Amino acid sequence: MLKTTRNILIIIAILLLAIGGITSAQTEDEAITIARQFLQSLVDEDFDSAVAMFDDAMLAALPREVAEETWATLISQVGEYQGELGVSVQEMQGLQVITIITQFEALALDAIIAINADGTIGGLNFVPNYNPPQPEGDETVSELPDYVNTDSFI
C-alpha cells in the first residue's frame, strides 16, 4: 500500500515537471482559492468534487478510487487533518504552485498543488514540513537545565 502511494506521488511529481509552456491565467488569490477548495474536498472526503478539479493527465494518474485510497492511507499515517498553518505561491513552468502548510495530528505536511492556466489541478504532492509556523500566542520558552554552565561556552 505504501509502495503504491509512493509510486503515485512519483507519477504526480513527473507530471508536474513535464507540464510546461502554459501561462498563468489566475491571480495568486484565485489560485489559492482553487487549492483550498481542492484540499477541503479531500478533507470532506468528497472525492468526486476533488477529482473533478483535475486536468486530464492528473485524472489518468489519480482517478477517484486511487485518490480516495491515497487520502485514506495518508490519514492512517499522519492522523486527522487539523487545519492550515500558512500558504505560499510561486510560479513554476507556467503553473501557479500553491503550498499550503497543513497540520495533521502527527505532523505538519506541505500540500503542494499545481494549478494550470485554465484553473484545473495539474499536480499534487504532500511532503513533511519540518519547520511549521507556530500559532500566534503559542510562544515556547525553554530554559537550560541547572547543570548547564553557560560560562563554559565560547
Side-chain angles (χ1 to χ4, degrees):
M1 176 81 69
L2 186 57
K3 187 174 182 178
T4 301
T5 303
R6 188 174 357 155
N7 289 341
I8 290 168
L9 293 175
I10 290 170
I11 290 169
I12 293 168
I14 291 169
L15 288 172
L16 271 173
L17 295 174
I19 299 171
I22 302 172
T23 58
S24 175
Q26 285 83 37
T27 66
E28 285 188 7
D29 289 341
E30 290 169 335
I32 290 170
T33 298
I34 291 167
R36 284 180 169 149
Q37 288 172 344
F38 171 74
L39 181 60
Q40 191 60 53
S41 293
L42 292 178
V43 170
D44 294 341
E45 297 184 357
D46 182 1
F47 301 106
D48 290 328
S49 294
V51 300
M53 300 176 79
F54 288 168
D55 66 11
D56 292 339
M58 274 294 297
L59 191 55
L62 198 66
R64 187 207 181 283
E65 296 78 22
V66 177
E68 183 174 358
E69 179 183 312
T70 302
W71 183 255
T73 300
L74 180 72
I75 296 302
S76 73
Q77 293 173 353
V78 298
E80 292 298 319
Y81 176 78
Q82 303 293 305
E84 178 183 315
L85 300 175
V87 65
S88 64
V89 182
Q90 68 182 48
E91 190 164 327
M92 187 182 307
Q93 297 180 346
L95 302 169
Q96 292 278 2
V97 180
I98 312 303
T99 301
I100 301 176
I101 304 171
T102 58
Q103 181 65 54
F104 288 82
E105 287 174 323
L107 72 147
L109 294 175
D110 288 347
I112 303 168
I113 304 166
I115 311 294
N116 293 313
D118 64 0
T120 58
I121 294 174
L124 171 66
N125 199 2
F126 285 88
V127 297
N129 181 304
Y130 297 106
N131 297 306
Q134 295 298 316
E136 289 185 32
D138 188 28
E139 297 178 24
T140 304
V141 177
S142 60
E143 295 181 18
L144 295 173
D146 292 334
Y147 60 82
V148 175
N149 180 1
T150 57
D151 294 333
S152 65
F153 296 159
I154 296 178

